[in-house]
Every structure is written in structure tokens, then in C-alpha cells.
Amino acid sequence: MSRRAHSEAFPEDQTLHIKLAEGDAVEADAYVLRLFSSVARSLPHDARDWDLSNLLLDAQPVTRPTVIAWLNAVYRRAYESDFEQQDPNPACSFQGLFQLLQFADAVGSPTSALLSCLAHIGQLQLQVQLGEQQLQLDAGCCYGFMDIEQEFQLRLSMPGDVDDQDIGEPAGEAAMQECCRQVAKQTEQLLWLAYRLQLAPLIDKLHEFVRSGSDGLLTGLRDAVFTERVLDAALGSNRLGRDAWIAHVVHHVHAPAAGGPRALFKAVDLTDEDDPEARSGAFRAVLQRDFLGAPAGTEVEVAYDLSTGWFNIGGYDFEATLHLR
């Protein structure tokens, strides 16, 4: 498909007015809407309005920010630029991205548009309530609560020689538990939709988040994340290996030390005298890509035991596919 700048005003007969339950209609290029929505494509050829005022997502009318976020995604495919700048961007939060993908699916968007909705998953955050505090948590980092004299302090921790950071103010046990339940709920619904729509980049992102939270914010909440609908979307009717599959998601990291486009780290102090076939050992390594909030280039300690299939990187235990050379 040829692309053109959408800064040039398009003729009136190429415009569709998207009517919403609240606020003014949104005017957009009819050609783009029909190209990236089977619902819009089914409208009469001479239609001037696309009425979404009665469209409900989780029993709520679709909102303007969600529609604009979808328009941004499809305009990026057609014109390589956004329809309209958004701040805050719904596509950067768990809840906002969930609503965006729900809408994209409801209007019959193709896979290319769904993937375009994921353009900002590198900045994905959770918005949670901790008592009276509203916090934004980076989905690429590892968080947990520290018990301090009957109060609980939320902390950010990262692999490498980096001190833990306190996030917000300490809260009581009830507030801490409710915060963790919020995290599990938002994770579950987005993971379910990611599997149902078969969006591999989002699945990988959420697996990494679940992995980082298994000993943190999601401790004891496995069943709240891996609900029946998540298992249905991920495994279908094949439930025989469900526990093994969940354990694999929570604990397994593909972590070749060198080589391959997804190498996690590269050893920096292995020498020719070191035995690459050794069943256990430890070494220093440099991260080749971001990992649990630590940026690429961070130096970490790696310990491994191939007899058990587990390794430890920067203080975090994982089961891994590990190749030292």
C-alpha cells in the first residue's frame, strides 16, 4: 500500500464522522478506517457517519481516548505518523492497552493493526492504588513489599550492584494485599486478551512481568493470574500439562550467554581454562538486553547448576536454557 502524508486535508467525501456516547464526533479518513476495520468496511459506500455510541466494552461505552489510540495505531500503518498526540497515552498502561485491544478486536482490526497497538509496550506501566497513594509501576521492573514494623514498604529492586529503592510511603497489610490483587487482576485480563488475540510480543512482555512478580507482587496469586479463561486462551482443551506450563511461564528464561538475537547476557570473565561443560559454577556477565529493570550493559553475577536446571542472575533464581559459549 502506498503511503502519503495525512497532514493534507482529505476531501469531505473521504471523511467518516465517528460518533461516540459522549463528546463531539471524531473525523477521520474513511479510506484508513475501512482498510483497518471490517465493521467500517461494511458501512454503505456513501456513509458519512460511523456510529459507535452504542458500542460497549465491559458494559461501558467506548471512550474517546481509546478511539484516538486506535486511530493512532492505524494511522501509523497508513501514514507513518499519529492521528493525534495523546498525553497520557492509553496504550502505555495495562488497563488502557486492554481497552484499546478490546476495541480494536470489536471493530474487526487485522493483525497488523493489533500489532501497531503494541508500539509502546516498552513503556508499559501499571496504575495501582496503595492506600491513599496512586502509584505507577514500570512493567519491566521487579517490585515487592518489605515488612517493616507491621507496615509494608513497596520497593523496586534490580539485578546488579544497585540498591533497592522505596516507592511511595509504607502502608498497612490490608492496603498491601489489595494492591497485589489489583496487579493480579490487571495482569490476568491483559494476559487473557494477549493469548486470545495471539499477540506474541505482548505475551512475552507479560510473561517477563509475571516472572519478575512471582516472588514479589504476585506471590501467592498464581490462580488469580492463570484463571480458567487464561488457560482456555493459552492451552485450549489441552489441560494435561497445565501445571508444568504455568511453572515454565513463571520460572523459565531462555538465557544463552552469547550468540543469537535474544542473548540475555555475555560472560566477561570466562577464560580458556574454564570448562564450558561444567555442571555448576559462577561468573560475571554483562546484560545484553534490559532485564527486570536493569538496562543492557549492567554487570551482574551469574551462578548456575545444570544438574537442577536452575540459575541465579543478580540475586534472582530461574530455570533456564543456558549455553555458556
Side-chain angles (χ1 to χ4, degrees), residues 129-130 135 137 143-148 151-155 167 169-172 175-177 179-180 183 215-217:
Q129 197 75 24
L130 178 60
L135 304 175
L137 310 182
Y143 298 88
F145 280 100
M146 176 68 70
D147 188 351
I148 304 175
E151 285 194 311
F152 295 85
Q153 175 64 58
L154 181 62
R155 285 186 172 171
I167 305 297
E169 299 297 327
M176 178 271 292
Q177 292 177 344
C179 177
C180 292
V183 173
D215 291 322
L217 297 180

Side-chain angles (χ1 to χ4, degrees), residues 247 251-252 303-312 317-320 322:
H251 297 298
H252 191 88
Y304 65 95
D305 186 345
L306 300 184
S307 64
T308 62
W310 288 81
F311 82 112
N312 181 290
D317 289 327
F318 295 101
E319 181 185 17
L322 181 64

Side-chain angles (χ1 to χ4, degrees), residues 60-71:
Q60 297 296 321
V62 63
T63 65
R64 179 185 175 90
T66 296
V67 172
I68 297 300
W70 179 78
L71 287 172

Side-chain angles (χ1 to χ4, degrees), residues 156-206:
L156 164 66
S157 59
M158 292 184 289
D161 300 324
V162 180
D163 293 335
D164 290 353
Q165 300 176 27
D166 289 348
I167 305 297
E169 299 297 327
E173 183 174 4
M176 178 271 292
Q177 292 177 344
E178 174 57 27
C179 177
C180 292
R181 283 192 290 267
Q182 292 173 45
V183 173
K185 179 180 179 180
Q186 292 186 51
T187 303
E188 184 274 343
Q189 66 177 11
L190 194 54
L191 187 61
W192 163 70
L193 195 55
Y195 269 114
R196 193 172 72 76
L197 299 178
Q198 300 181 35
L199 300 175
L202 183 56
I203 291 171
D204 290 345
K205 181 73 173 180
L206 293 173

Side-chain angles (χ1 to χ4, degrees), residues 131-143:
E132 299 298 320
Q133 308 170 74
Q134 189 167 20
L135 304 175
Q136 291 187 336
L137 310 182
D138 188 335
C141 295
C142 185
Y143 298 88

Side-chain angles (χ1 to χ4, degrees), residues 36-57:
F36 290 103
S37 166
S38 61
V39 175
R41 197 156 53 246
S42 68
L43 294 171
H45 182 71
D46 59 351
R48 293 292 173 263
D49 296 325
W50 186 14
D51 190 353
L52 298 178
S53 60
N54 293 319
L55 177 61
L56 301 180
L57 302 177

Side-chain angles (χ1 to χ4, degrees), residues 8-142:
E8 301 174 4
F10 30 78
E12 179 65 24
D13 62 359
Q14 293 181 6
T15 300
L16 275 178
H17 298 77
I18 304 174
K19 293 185 175 181
L20 304 175
E22 295 183 1
D24 297 334
V26 179
E27 296 185 15
D29 189 335
Y31 172 72
V32 174
L33 298 181
R34 294 178 189 275
L35 185 63
F36 290 103
S37 166
S38 61
V39 175
R41 197 156 53 246
S42 68
L43 294 171
H45 182 71
D46 59 351
R48 293 292 173 263
D49 296 325
W50 186 14
D51 190 353
L52 298 178
S53 60
N54 293 319
L55 177 61
L56 301 180
L57 302 177
D58 284 344
Q60 297 296 321
V62 63
T63 65
R64 179 185 175 90
T66 296
V67 172
I68 297 300
W70 179 78
L71 287 172
N72 283 339
V74 297
Y75 267 60
R76 280 193 297 271
R77 294 292 303 171
Y79 300 131
E80 298 181 333
S81 62
D82 286 344
F83 173 82
E84 180 181 303
Q85 293 296 313
Q86 285 186 291
D87 187 19
N89 187 344
C92 292
S93 72
F94 272 45
Q95 186 63 29
L97 182 58
F98 175 70
Q99 293 170 346
L100 169 58
L101 291 173
Q102 269 195 315
F103 174 76
D105 183 46
V107 298
S109 301
T111 300
S112 60
L114 294 173
L115 291 174
S116 187
C117 291
L118 306 181
H120 301 287
I121 61 171
Q123 293 86 48
L124 199 58
Q125 294 185 328
L126 290 98
Q127 297 175 345
V128 296
Q129 197 75 24
L130 178 60
E132 299 298 320
Q133 308 170 74
Q134 189 167 20
L135 304 175
Q136 291 187 336
L137 310 182
D138 188 335
C141 295
C142 185

